[in-house]
Amino acid sequence: MKCFYHHDRDSLGSCKSCGKGVCLECAVDLTKGLACRGHCEEDVRALIGLIECNIRLAPKSERIVETSGKVRESARQIRWGTAIFNLVIGGIFIPWGLTESDKPSFLTVLGVCFLGYGVFEVFQLRRSPKGRQNP
């Protein structure tokens, strides 16, 4: 590969930011990557900083992945509680609304909505797998 800035020279490597080939005169060695002199030095420093930050954070993210199964099970329990709540509230509002007047009242419609959504949640929870293992 030839230098992007000096077409007659072979490149020493490529810039970590823009990927252009750079010769010895155009390259700046930032110990963990090359940069185009006067063009990409700050960008490459920022990239190197991001990579080092990711390396430091990697152990923390592994712990998050390890606990995600517990979080998923807790969320599933909360969804079951919500489904049961909706079924109970729907079961209360429907008869209450029917006893208030001859025609369906707002409470009856609201009760049907709660009951319908509760049934929908139960079917969704029964269809979803209990826990997926991350590879």
Side-chain angles (χ1 to χ4, degrees):
M1 180 177 3
K2 297 291 183 182
C3 176
F4 180 81
Y5 302 101
H6 301 105
H7 303 290
D8 58 331
R9 299 183 193 165
D10 288 331
S11 67
L12 176 65
S14 58
C15 174
K16 194 171 191 119
S17 175
C18 66
K20 296 174 183 169
V22 286
C23 65
L24 188 59
E25 184 181 327
C26 298
V28 176
D29 184 9
L30 299 173
T31 63
K32 294 188 177 183
L34 296 176
C36 296
R37 185 179 307 276
H39 296 279
C40 299
E41 294 172 62
E42 288 306 311
D43 292 341
V44 173
R45 282 189 185 94
L47 282 170
I48 292 169
L50 284 172
I51 292 168
E52 289 173 347
C53 181
N54 284 339
I55 290 169
R56 281 192 312 273
L57 292 176
K60 293 178 184 175
S61 65
E62 289 171 3
R63 279 183 289 195
I64 291 171
V65 170
E66 290 170 5
T67 61
S68 67
K70 295 174 188 172
V71 171
R72 200 175 305 121
E73 184 57 34
S74 177
R76 187 173 175 81
Q77 291 171 351
I78 291 169
R79 287 185 64 200
W80 270 110
T82 304
I84 291 168
F85 172 80
N86 286 325
L87 292 171
V88 168
I89 292 297
I92 293 171
F93 279 9
I94 291 172
W96 186 11
L98 291 174
T99 58
E100 291 292 317
S101 65
D102 308 350
K103 58 184 179 176
S105 67
F106 177 70
L107 283 176
T108 308
V109 174
L110 195 60
V112 168
C113 291
F114 273 109
L115 193 64
Y117 189 65
V119 169
F120 171 76
E121 285 180 310
V122 168
F123 279 117
Q124 289 295 314
L125 283 163
R126 291 183 55 96
R127 281 185 33 199
S128 67
K130 287 193 177 180
R132 293 185 205 139
Q133 299 298 321
N134 290 337

